[in-house]
């Protein structure tokens, strides 16, 4: 029988994966390649929060805003300086993927040289890691905040996508960027904005992880791989598919840890990916 603690862990994993997959999905649907450099925004957000909040002692809200700005600029500049040029030259998806992997590796190595390779915990006060009793289970402050913030971000994102002018332009670019450009939609400006916004989600993920268990330079790659699996699982062209895929992975991964042990946790996303590709390669939701 499942305990409340396991249920809470499942939902905590779900909201974290949902947060990360939203930003990753925006990029994938707009530029049509798996941009693993998104993991760099995760690292930049976490390490900049460590710099501003813990090392320099800046007040939390200002440190948070500065860290998120840094992760957003990281993604924006990666597009303007690297990916936009490659896309204009007609680079293949394979070339773009390898480039994004190289950028993530360079980002992780640079941050590792600056901050070290040890786990970097962002909390500087006991109140930052407070725990709460909920339905007989325990959650820390980061998880409680995530339960509140992430659903709000999901519905704000859905509203922007389906109810605003920018959302219509975004969906047009996702559907066919060349046709969108022909009818007057500034494709490059829209994609640049998408990259900037995606940095917000990646940065929040890195900050949350930093307060929860800490970040290391390898965290960017470590977390981007399950996000790729979730995207394929839910359906690469579906916003809600990513949220649903995150829920499926959270359930399977947590239950695997409970019944088979933690050593199987990292294998779960890829076993699940193989099963999905064999049975339903288009994902749970096609669009």
């Amino acid at each position: 029988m499942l305990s409340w603690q396991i249920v809470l862990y499942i939902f905590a994993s779900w909201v974290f994966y949902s947060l990360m997959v939203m930003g990753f999905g925006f990029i994938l649907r707009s530029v049509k390649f798996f941009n693993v450099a998104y993991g760099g925004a995760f690292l930049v957000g976490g390490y900049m929060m460590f710099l501003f909040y813990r090392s320099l002692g800046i007040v939390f809200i200002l440190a948070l805003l500065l860290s998120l700005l840094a992760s957003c600029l990281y993604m924006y500049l990666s597009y303007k300086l690297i990916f936009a040029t490659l896309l204009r030259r007609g680079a293949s998806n394979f070339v773009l993927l390898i480039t994004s992997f190289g950028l993530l590796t360079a980002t992780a190595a640079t941050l590792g040289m600056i901050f070290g390779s040890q786990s970097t915990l962002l909390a500087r006060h006991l109140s930052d890691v407070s725990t709460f009793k909920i339905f007989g289970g325990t959650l820390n402050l980061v998880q409680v905040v995530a339960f509140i913030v992430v659903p709000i971000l999901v519905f704000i994102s859905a509203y922007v996508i389906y109810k605003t002018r920018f959302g219509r332009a975004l969906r047009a670019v996702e559907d066919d960027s060349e046709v969108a450009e022909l009818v007057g939609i500034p494709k490059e400006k829209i994609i640049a904005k998408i990259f900037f916004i995606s940095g917000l989600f990646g940065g929040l993920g890195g900050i949350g992880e930093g307060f929860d268990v800490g970040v290391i330079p390898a965290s960017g790659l470590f977390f981007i791989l399950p996000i790729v699996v979730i995207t394929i699982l839910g359906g690469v062209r579906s916003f809600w598919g990513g949220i649903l895929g995150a829920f499926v992975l959270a359930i399977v991964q947590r239950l695997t840890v409970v019944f088979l042990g933690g050593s199987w946790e990292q294998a779960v996303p890829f076993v699940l990916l193989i099963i999905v590709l064999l049975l339903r390669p288009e994902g749970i939701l096609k669009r």
Side-chain angles (χ1 to χ4, degrees), residues 21 29 227-249 272-273 276 280-287:
V21 80
R29 291 189 294 273
I227 300 306
V228 172
V229 173
I230 289 170
T231 304
I232 297 172
L233 173 63
V236 296
R237 301 189 68 184
S238 173
F239 170 79
W240 293 109
I243 306 300
L244 183 57
F247 186 54
V248 173
L249 179 60
L272 196 59
L273 176 62
V276 170
R280 192 176 174 85
E282 70 272 20
I284 298 173
L285 298 178
K286 291 183 180 180
R287 188 174 178 83

Side-chain angles (χ1 to χ4, degrees), residues 122-234:
L122 305 188
R124 70 185 190 198
H125 304 298
L126 290 177
S127 59
D128 293 336
V129 289
S130 301
T131 57
F132 301 86
K133 290 285 185 179
I134 301 176
F135 299 120
T138 303
L139 290 176
N140 61 36
L141 180 60
V142 174
Q143 293 167 331
V144 172
V145 171
F147 272 114
I148 298 170
V149 172
V150 174
I152 294 173
L153 288 176
V154 169
F155 287 106
I156 288 175
S157 299
Y159 178 82
V160 170
I161 291 171
Y162 298 110
K163 298 295 183 181
T164 66
R165 184 177 180 181
F166 173 73
R168 288 193 293 272
L170 183 152
R171 284 184 285 125
V173 170
E174 290 177 355
D175 190 57
D176 193 321
S177 60
E178 301 303 325
V179 172
E181 198 167 27
L182 287 175
V183 298
I185 295 174
K187 180 184 72 173
E188 288 205 9
K189 288 184 178 179
I190 294 296
I191 295 176
K193 289 178 181 178
I194 291 171
F195 269 71
F196 184 87
I197 294 169
S198 72
L200 171 68
F201 295 97
L204 279 173
I207 292 169
E209 185 67 14
F211 276 105
D212 190 9
V213 297
V215 290
I216 59 174
S219 295
L221 182 61
F222 179 77
F223 282 106
I224 198 63
L225 295 177
I227 300 306
V228 172
V229 173
I230 289 170
T231 304
I232 297 172
L233 173 63

Side-chain angles (χ1 to χ4, degrees), residues 9 12-20 39 41-50 54 60 64 67-68 118-123 128-129 140-146 150 200-224 226-227 253-254 265-266:
Y9 277 151
S13 296
W14 181 26
V15 296
F16 174 77
Y17 285 145
S18 296
L19 174 68
M20 292 292 291
F42 179 95
L43 293 176
V44 170
Y47 278 109
M48 289 302 99
M49 191 67 183
F50 174 81
R54 186 166 176 180
F60 177 81
L64 176 66
S67 301
L68 292 177
Q118 301 300 314
S119 179
T120 302
L121 190 63
L122 305 188
D128 293 336
V129 289
N140 61 36
L141 180 60
V142 174
Q143 293 167 331
V144 172
V145 171
V150 174
L200 171 68
F201 295 97
L204 279 173
I207 292 169
E209 185 67 14
F211 276 105
D212 190 9
V213 297
V215 290
I216 59 174
S219 295
L221 182 61
F222 179 77
F223 282 106
I224 198 63
I227 300 306
Q253 202 168 39
R254 291 300 105 195
E265 182 178 10
Q266 303 309 315

Side-chain angles (χ1 to χ4, degrees), residues 40 43 47 103-113 217-218 220:
L43 293 176
Y47 278 109
L103 178 58
L104 172 58
T105 303
T107 302
T110 301
L111 291 172
M113 287 187 290

Side-chain angles (χ1 to χ4, degrees), residues 40-41 44-45 48 52 65-81 103 192-200 203:
V44 170
M48 289 302 99
F52 295 131
L65 294 175
L66 290 173
S67 301
L68 292 177
L69 177 61
S71 61
C72 290
L73 287 175
Y74 169 84
M75 292 304 300
Y76 176 80
L77 293 174
S78 73
Y79 173 72
K80 296 296 288 186
L81 299 179
L103 178 58
K193 289 178 181 178
I194 291 171
F195 269 71
F196 184 87
I197 294 169
S198 72
L200 171 68

